[in-house]
Amino acid sequence: MARWGAKFDVDCPGCGRASLAREPDAPHKVFLPAELRPYALALCQSCHQVLLLLSGEPGPDLDPDDLPARPAPVLWPAPGREIGEQVPAPVRRELIDARAGLRSGSPSAAILHVRRVLEAVCADHGVTGRTLFHALRELRHRGLIDGRLLSWAEELRELGNEAAHLRGAGPLGRQEAAGAVELAEALVDYLYVFSAKYRDFQVRRAKPARKEGRIAVETPAMRILRKSGTPFAVHPYPHNPAHTKSRTAIAETLGIPAPRMLKAVVLYLGHHAVLAIAPIGERVDEHALAAAFGARDARVAVRAEVVRIGEAMAADVLSPLALPYLPSVLDAGAARQDSVYVSSGRHGLELELTPGDLIRVTSARTAAIVK
């Protein structure tokens, strides 16, 4: 008597979903020989991916529609790299669909979904209503991706445009699609997974610093000063997470004159970010700052740009000492003080050092940059 095909409950690597899989029905039944059991060949009912399953002992010889689906692990194809739980759902869906297109033998579909991955990333960062070409450059301008990642994204965008239109050279191949999916995975990992892991790594690497019998966790700014042999003093102050103090309030708490309490302001000269270090009571003159760098004009960075650039922060507090890779300028008035105070990169701690040491560590130039 002919044996019925079985029904399985699987996590399909082809479509990335919990799916129903069945052994092929007649007249196209393809059963593995009995000696190869408990393995089974099946088709995912969602994406029609062929699957090799560890099916376990065969069930009763009944119509599978009369039986519940049996759970079965998938032995082949191997699942792709895990998509981090930090990845937003719209980005995740497009990446899963890109993988499914690749596995189902449709390179053009895979590449189109890779392009949609880029669109989902832009939308997730609030860059909408523009062409993808301009949206990717806006991500670069905000400091969310660097120049190399922009080049990757541009290649993927152009490849997606090719997949969306007929061309004389013929259809795109699987090798191009596989490369596109891998680059999209790497881009998503960088933005949503490894950037966060790097920040966690920095926190774990922080060493305790002692001050007047108290222990404070060393921030990246403090570590830079320690490793460079720069003398500095740590000044703790009371901090309530529910009521974050402004730098003016911190100066009042510590009894520090406003000209000695400095703030860090990120600005853009065209596409290039720079750092202005100035007293808290003064406003940075954008025209004067641009002139200090020989540029025509400057603009203050928006919060999203500052957060992305400030990955060296220990928390959400920007310290000029933790951004040595940004070209910096210290206000000439602050440079004449005996000592200055800057953020440690963490609420509750201020760092005191001489202006000369601040200039040396940050490689800052000096200029009159406040109004």
Short mmCIF file of all heavy atoms in Angstrom, two decimals, residues 115-160:
data_model
loop_
_atom_site.label_atom_id
_atom_site.label_comp_id
_atom_site.label_asym_id
_atom_site.label_seq_id
_atom_site.Cartn_x
_atom_site.Cartn_y
_atom_site.Cartn_z
N ARG A 115 17.65 46.28 -1.77
CA ARG A 115 17.41 47.73 -1.92
C ARG A 115 16.37 48.20 -0.92
O ARG A 115 16.49 49.29 -0.35
CB ARG A 115 16.95 48.02 -3.35
CG ARG A 115 16.95 49.51 -3.70
CD ARG A 115 16.39 49.73 -5.10
NE ARG A 115 16.63 51.09 -5.57
CZ ARG A 115 15.92 52.16 -5.20
NH1 ARG A 115 14.93 52.01 -4.34
NH2 ARG A 115 16.22 53.35 -5.68
N ARG A 116 15.36 47.38 -0.69
CA ARG A 116 14.33 47.72 0.29
C ARG A 116 14.89 47.71 1.72
O ARG A 116 14.38 48.42 2.59
CB ARG A 116 13.13 46.79 0.15
CG ARG A 116 12.31 47.05 -1.11
CD ARG A 116 11.26 45.96 -1.32
NE ARG A 116 10.32 45.90 -0.23
CZ ARG A 116 9.17 46.58 -0.18
NH1 ARG A 116 8.85 47.40 -1.18
NH2 ARG A 116 8.34 46.46 0.84
N VAL A 117 15.92 46.90 1.96
CA VAL A 117 16.61 46.95 3.26
C VAL A 117 17.16 48.36 3.48
O VAL A 117 17.01 48.94 4.56
CB VAL A 117 17.75 45.91 3.33
CG1 VAL A 117 18.64 46.18 4.55
CG2 VAL A 117 17.19 44.50 3.41
N LEU A 118 17.80 48.93 2.45
CA LEU A 118 18.34 50.28 2.56
C LEU A 118 17.23 51.29 2.82
O LEU A 118 17.38 52.20 3.65
CB LEU A 118 19.09 50.65 1.28
CG LEU A 118 20.27 49.76 0.88
CD1 LEU A 118 20.88 50.27 -0.43
CD2 LEU A 118 21.32 49.73 1.98
N GLU A 119 16.11 51.14 2.13
CA GLU A 119 14.99 52.06 2.34
C GLU A 119 14.46 51.95 3.77
O GLU A 119 14.14 52.96 4.41
CB GLU A 119 13.88 51.76 1.34
CG GLU A 119 14.26 52.05 -0.11
CD GLU A 119 13.20 51.60 -1.10
OE1 GLU A 119 12.28 50.85 -0.67
OE2 GLU A 119 13.27 51.99 -2.27
N ALA A 120 14.40 50.71 4.29
CA ALA A 120 13.91 50.50 5.66
C ALA A 120 14.87 51.11 6.68
O ALA A 120 14.43 51.66 7.69
CB ALA A 120 13.71 49.00 5.92
N VAL A 121 16.16 50.99 6.43
CA VAL A 121 17.15 51.59 7.33
C VAL A 121 17.00 53.11 7.36
O VAL A 121 17.01 53.73 8.42
CB VAL A 121 18.58 51.20 6.89
CG1 VAL A 121 19.61 52.07 7.59
CG2 VAL A 121 18.85 49.73 7.19
N CYS A 122 16.84 53.71 6.18
CA CYS A 122 16.67 55.16 6.11
C CYS A 122 15.40 55.58 6.86
O CYS A 122 15.41 56.55 7.63
CB CYS A 122 16.61 55.63 4.66
SG CYS A 122 18.18 55.46 3.77
N ALA A 123 14.31 54.86 6.62
CA ALA A 123 13.05 55.19 7.30
C ALA A 123 13.18 55.05 8.81
O ALA A 123 12.64 55.86 9.57
CB ALA A 123 11.93 54.30 6.77
N ASP A 124 13.91 54.02 9.25
CA ASP A 124 14.08 53.81 10.70
C ASP A 124 14.83 54.97 11.34
O ASP A 124 14.63 55.25 12.53
CB ASP A 124 14.84 52.50 10.94
CG ASP A 124 15.05 52.22 12.41
OD1 ASP A 124 14.05 52.08 13.13
OD2 ASP A 124 16.22 52.15 12.85
N HIS A 125 15.68 55.66 10.58
CA HIS A 125 16.43 56.79 11.12
C HIS A 125 15.77 58.12 10.78
O HIS A 125 16.38 59.18 10.90
CB HIS A 125 17.87 56.77 10.60
CG HIS A 125 18.70 55.69 11.21
ND1 HIS A 125 18.77 54.41 10.69
CD2 HIS A 125 19.49 55.69 12.33
CE1 HIS A 125 19.57 53.68 11.45
NE2 HIS A 125 20.01 54.42 12.43
N GLY A 126 14.51 58.06 10.35
CA GLY A 126 13.76 59.29 10.12
C GLY A 126 14.08 60.01 8.84
O GLY A 126 13.70 61.18 8.68
N VAL A 127 14.76 59.34 7.90
CA VAL A 127 15.10 59.97 6.62
C VAL A 127 14.08 59.47 5.58
O VAL A 127 14.24 58.40 5.00
CB VAL A 127 16.53 59.63 6.18
CG1 VAL A 127 16.88 60.37 4.89
CG2 VAL A 127 17.52 59.99 7.27
N THR A 128 13.02 60.21 5.39
CA THR A 128 11.95 59.80 4.47
C THR A 128 11.61 60.95 3.54
O THR A 128 12.04 62.09 3.73
CB THR A 128 10.69 59.39 5.26
OG1 THR A 128 10.27 60.50 6.08
CG2 THR A 128 10.96 58.19 6.17
N GLY A 129 10.80 60.64 2.52
CA GLY A 129 10.33 61.66 1.61
C GLY A 129 11.36 62.11 0.60
O GLY A 129 11.18 63.14 -0.06
N ARG A 130 12.47 61.38 0.47
CA ARG A 130 13.50 61.74 -0.49
C ARG A 130 13.84 60.50 -1.30
O ARG A 130 13.47 59.39 -0.95
CB ARG A 130 14.74 62.27 0.21
CG ARG A 130 14.46 63.35 1.23
CD ARG A 130 15.74 63.90 1.82
NE ARG A 130 16.49 64.67 0.85
CZ ARG A 130 17.66 65.22 1.08
NH1 ARG A 130 18.24 65.06 2.25
NH2 ARG A 130 18.29 65.93 0.15
N THR A 131 14.56 60.69 -2.40
CA THR A 131 15.04 59.53 -3.14
C THR A 131 16.05 58.77 -2.29
O THR A 131 16.67 59.35 -1.37
CB THR A 131 15.71 59.96 -4.46
OG1 THR A 131 16.90 60.70 -4.15
CG2 THR A 131 14.76 60.79 -5.30
N LEU A 132 16.23 57.50 -2.57
CA LEU A 132 17.17 56.71 -1.80
C LEU A 132 18.59 57.27 -1.95
O LEU A 132 19.38 57.25 -1.00
CB LEU A 132 17.13 55.25 -2.27
CG LEU A 132 18.01 54.26 -1.50
CD1 LEU A 132 17.71 54.30 -0.01
CD2 LEU A 132 17.84 52.85 -2.05
N PHE A 133 18.91 57.78 -3.13
CA PHE A 133 20.21 58.39 -3.36
C PHE A 133 20.48 59.50 -2.34
O PHE A 133 21.52 59.56 -1.69
CB PHE A 133 20.28 58.95 -4.79
CG PHE A 133 21.53 59.72 -5.10
CD1 PHE A 133 22.67 59.05 -5.55
CD2 PHE A 133 21.58 61.10 -4.96
CE1 PHE A 133 23.83 59.76 -5.85
CE2 PHE A 133 22.73 61.82 -5.25
CZ PHE A 133 23.86 61.14 -5.70
N HIS A 134 19.52 60.41 -2.18
CA HIS A 134 19.69 61.52 -1.25
C HIS A 134 19.57 61.06 0.19
O HIS A 134 20.23 61.61 1.08
CB HIS A 134 18.66 62.61 -1.55
CG HIS A 134 18.89 63.32 -2.84
ND1 HIS A 134 18.18 63.02 -3.99
CD2 HIS A 134 19.77 64.30 -3.19
CE1 HIS A 134 18.60 63.79 -4.98
NE2 HIS A 134 19.56 64.57 -4.53
N ALA A 135 18.72 60.06 0.45
CA ALA A 135 18.54 59.58 1.82
C ALA A 135 19.84 58.98 2.36
O ALA A 135 20.20 59.19 3.52
CB ALA A 135 17.41 58.54 1.87
N LEU A 136 20.55 58.22 1.53
CA LEU A 136 21.81 57.62 1.97
C LEU A 136 22.83 58.71 2.28
O LEU A 136 23.59 58.60 3.26
CB LEU A 136 22.36 56.67 0.91
CG LEU A 136 21.53 55.39 0.69
CD1 LEU A 136 22.07 54.61 -0.50
CD2 LEU A 136 21.55 54.51 1.94
N ARG A 137 22.87 59.75 1.48
CA ARG A 137 23.80 60.84 1.77
C ARG A 137 23.42 61.60 3.03
O ARG A 137 24.28 62.10 3.74
CB ARG A 137 23.86 61.78 0.56
CG ARG A 137 24.87 61.30 -0.46
CD ARG A 137 24.59 61.73 -1.86
NE ARG A 137 25.62 61.16 -2.73
CZ ARG A 137 25.66 59.88 -3.10
NH1 ARG A 137 24.71 59.05 -2.68
NH2 ARG A 137 26.63 59.42 -3.88
N GLU A 138 22.14 61.66 3.30
CA GLU A 138 21.71 62.30 4.55
C GLU A 138 22.17 61.49 5.76
O GLU A 138 22.58 62.07 6.77
CB GLU A 138 20.18 62.44 4.56
CG GLU A 138 19.64 63.14 5.78
CD GLU A 138 20.08 64.59 5.89
OE1 GLU A 138 20.47 65.20 4.87
OE2 GLU A 138 20.06 65.11 7.02
N LEU A 139 22.14 60.16 5.64
CA LEU A 139 22.68 59.32 6.72
C LEU A 139 24.16 59.62 6.93
O LEU A 139 24.64 59.69 8.06
CB LEU A 139 22.49 57.83 6.40
CG LEU A 139 21.08 57.26 6.40
CD1 LEU A 139 21.13 55.77 6.15
CD2 LEU A 139 20.36 57.56 7.70
N ARG A 140 24.87 59.80 5.83
CA ARG A 140 26.30 60.12 5.93
C ARG A 140 26.50 61.50 6.56
O ARG A 140 27.37 61.67 7.43
CB ARG A 140 26.92 60.08 4.52
CG ARG A 140 28.37 60.57 4.46
CD ARG A 140 29.30 59.61 5.17
NE ARG A 140 30.68 60.06 5.10
CZ ARG A 140 31.28 60.81 6.03
NH1 ARG A 140 30.61 61.21 7.09
NH2 ARG A 140 32.54 61.16 5.89
N HIS A 141 25.69 62.47 6.15
CA HIS A 141 25.84 63.82 6.68
C HIS A 141 25.56 63.86 8.18
O HIS A 141 26.15 64.66 8.91
CB HIS A 141 24.89 64.78 5.96
CG HIS A 141 25.22 64.93 4.51
ND1 HIS A 141 24.37 65.55 3.61
CD2 HIS A 141 26.30 64.54 3.79
CE1 HIS A 141 24.92 65.53 2.40
NE2 HIS A 141 26.08 64.91 2.49
N ARG A 142 24.67 63.00 8.63
CA ARG A 142 24.33 62.97 10.06
C ARG A 142 25.34 62.17 10.88
O ARG A 142 25.21 62.08 12.09
CB ARG A 142 22.95 62.37 10.26
CG ARG A 142 21.81 63.22 9.70
CD ARG A 142 20.47 62.62 10.08
NE ARG A 142 19.36 63.34 9.48
CZ ARG A 142 18.08 63.05 9.72
NH1 ARG A 142 17.79 62.06 10.54
NH2 ARG A 142 17.13 63.75 9.14
N GLY A 143 26.29 61.55 10.21
CA GLY A 143 27.27 60.76 10.93
C GLY A 143 26.80 59.37 11.30
O GLY A 143 27.42 58.68 12.09
N LEU A 144 25.68 58.92 10.72
CA LEU A 144 25.15 57.59 11.04
C LEU A 144 25.93 56.49 10.33
O LEU A 144 25.99 55.36 10.82
CB LEU A 144 23.67 57.52 10.65
CG LEU A 144 22.78 58.54 11.39
CD1 LEU A 144 21.37 58.53 10.80
CD2 LEU A 144 22.74 58.24 12.87
N ILE A 145 26.49 56.79 9.16
CA ILE A 145 27.38 55.86 8.47
C ILE A 145 28.59 56.66 8.00
O ILE A 145 28.50 57.87 7.82
CB ILE A 145 26.69 55.17 7.26
CG1 ILE A 145 26.17 56.19 6.26
CG2 ILE A 145 25.57 54.24 7.73
CD1 ILE A 145 25.58 55.58 5.00
N ASP A 146 29.71 55.96 7.81
CA ASP A 146 30.90 56.66 7.34
C ASP A 146 31.00 56.55 5.82
O ASP A 146 30.12 55.99 5.16
CB ASP A 146 32.16 56.11 8.02
CG ASP A 146 32.39 54.64 7.73
OD1 ASP A 146 31.79 54.11 6.77
OD2 ASP A 146 33.19 54.02 8.45
N GLY A 147 32.08 57.08 5.27
CA GLY A 147 32.22 57.12 3.82
C GLY A 147 32.28 55.75 3.19
O GLY A 147 31.72 55.53 2.11
N ARG A 148 32.93 54.80 3.85
CA ARG A 148 33.04 53.46 3.27
C ARG A 148 31.68 52.78 3.24
O ARG A 148 31.31 52.14 2.25
CB ARG A 148 34.03 52.62 4.07
CG ARG A 148 34.15 51.20 3.56
CD ARG A 148 35.31 50.48 4.19
NE ARG A 148 36.59 51.08 3.81
CZ ARG A 148 37.77 50.62 4.20
NH1 ARG A 148 37.84 49.56 4.98
NH2 ARG A 148 38.87 51.20 3.80
N LEU A 149 30.91 52.89 4.32
CA LEU A 149 29.58 52.28 4.33
C LEU A 149 28.66 52.96 3.32
O LEU A 149 27.79 52.31 2.74
CB LEU A 149 28.98 52.37 5.74
CG LEU A 149 29.62 51.44 6.78
CD1 LEU A 149 28.96 51.65 8.13
CD2 LEU A 149 29.48 49.98 6.37
N LEU A 150 28.86 54.25 3.11
CA LEU A 150 28.07 54.93 2.07
C LEU A 150 28.39 54.33 0.71
O LEU A 150 27.49 54.12 -0.12
CB LEU A 150 28.35 56.43 2.08
CG LEU A 150 27.68 57.23 0.97
CD1 LEU A 150 26.17 57.13 1.07
CD2 LEU A 150 28.12 58.69 1.02
N SER A 151 29.66 54.03 0.46
CA SER A 151 30.04 53.41 -0.82
C SER A 151 29.39 52.04 -0.97
O SER A 151 28.89 51.69 -2.05
CB SER A 151 31.56 53.28 -0.91
OG SER A 151 32.17 54.56 -0.89
N TRP A 152 29.38 51.26 0.11
CA TRP A 152 28.70 49.95 0.07
C TRP A 152 27.23 50.14 -0.29
O TRP A 152 26.70 49.44 -1.17
CB TRP A 152 28.78 49.27 1.44
CG TRP A 152 30.11 48.71 1.80
CD1 TRP A 152 31.31 48.96 1.20
CD2 TRP A 152 30.38 47.81 2.88
NE1 TRP A 152 32.31 48.27 1.84
CE2 TRP A 152 31.76 47.56 2.88
CE3 TRP A 152 29.59 47.22 3.85
CZ2 TRP A 152 32.37 46.72 3.80
CZ3 TRP A 152 30.19 46.38 4.78
CH2 TRP A 152 31.56 46.13 4.75
N ALA A 153 26.58 51.05 0.44
CA ALA A 153 25.15 51.25 0.24
C ALA A 153 24.86 51.74 -1.18
O ALA A 153 23.85 51.35 -1.79
CB ALA A 153 24.62 52.25 1.27
N GLU A 154 25.75 52.57 -1.73
CA GLU A 154 25.56 53.07 -3.08
C GLU A 154 25.63 51.93 -4.11
O GLU A 154 24.86 51.88 -5.06
CB GLU A 154 26.61 54.14 -3.40
CG GLU A 154 26.13 55.56 -3.12
CD GLU A 154 24.93 55.90 -3.97
OE1 GLU A 154 25.06 56.05 -5.19
OE2 GLU A 154 23.82 55.99 -3.40
N GLU A 155 26.58 51.03 -3.91
CA GLU A 155 26.68 49.87 -4.81
C GLU A 155 25.40 49.05 -4.76
O GLU A 155 24.89 48.58 -5.79
CB GLU A 155 27.88 49.01 -4.41
CG GLU A 155 29.24 49.64 -4.70
CD GLU A 155 29.58 49.60 -6.18
OE1 GLU A 155 28.90 48.91 -6.95
OE2 GLU A 155 30.55 50.30 -6.57
N LEU A 156 24.88 48.84 -3.56
CA LEU A 156 23.65 48.05 -3.42
C LEU A 156 22.46 48.78 -4.03
O LEU A 156 21.60 48.16 -4.65
CB LEU A 156 23.39 47.77 -1.94
CG LEU A 156 24.44 46.91 -1.22
CD1 LEU A 156 24.06 46.73 0.24
CD2 LEU A 156 24.59 45.55 -1.90
N ARG A 157 22.42 50.08 -3.87
CA ARG A 157 21.32 50.86 -4.48
C ARG A 157 21.35 50.74 -5.99
O ARG A 157 20.31 50.52 -6.64
CB ARG A 157 21.43 52.33 -4.05
CG ARG A 157 20.30 53.21 -4.58
CD ARG A 157 20.59 54.68 -4.33
NE ARG A 157 21.73 55.14 -5.14
CZ ARG A 157 21.64 55.52 -6.41
NH1 ARG A 157 20.46 55.47 -7.05
NH2 ARG A 157 22.70 55.93 -7.07
N GLU A 158 22.53 50.90 -6.58
CA GLU A 158 22.64 50.82 -8.03
C GLU A 158 22.32 49.42 -8.54
O GLU A 158 21.68 49.26 -9.59
CB GLU A 158 24.05 51.24 -8.46
CG GLU A 158 24.34 52.72 -8.22
CD GLU A 158 25.75 53.10 -8.62
OE1 GLU A 158 26.47 52.21 -9.12
OE2 GLU A 158 26.13 54.27 -8.43
N LEU A 159 22.75 48.39 -7.78
CA LEU A 159 22.42 47.03 -8.17
C LEU A 159 20.91 46.80 -8.11
O LEU A 159 20.32 46.14 -8.98
CB LEU A 159 23.14 46.04 -7.26
CG LEU A 159 23.17 44.58 -7.70
CD1 LEU A 159 23.89 44.42 -9.04
CD2 LEU A 159 23.85 43.72 -6.63
N GLY A 160 20.26 47.39 -7.09
CA GLY A 160 18.81 47.29 -6.99
C GLY A 160 18.11 47.95 -8.16
O GLY A 160 17.09 47.46 -8.65
#
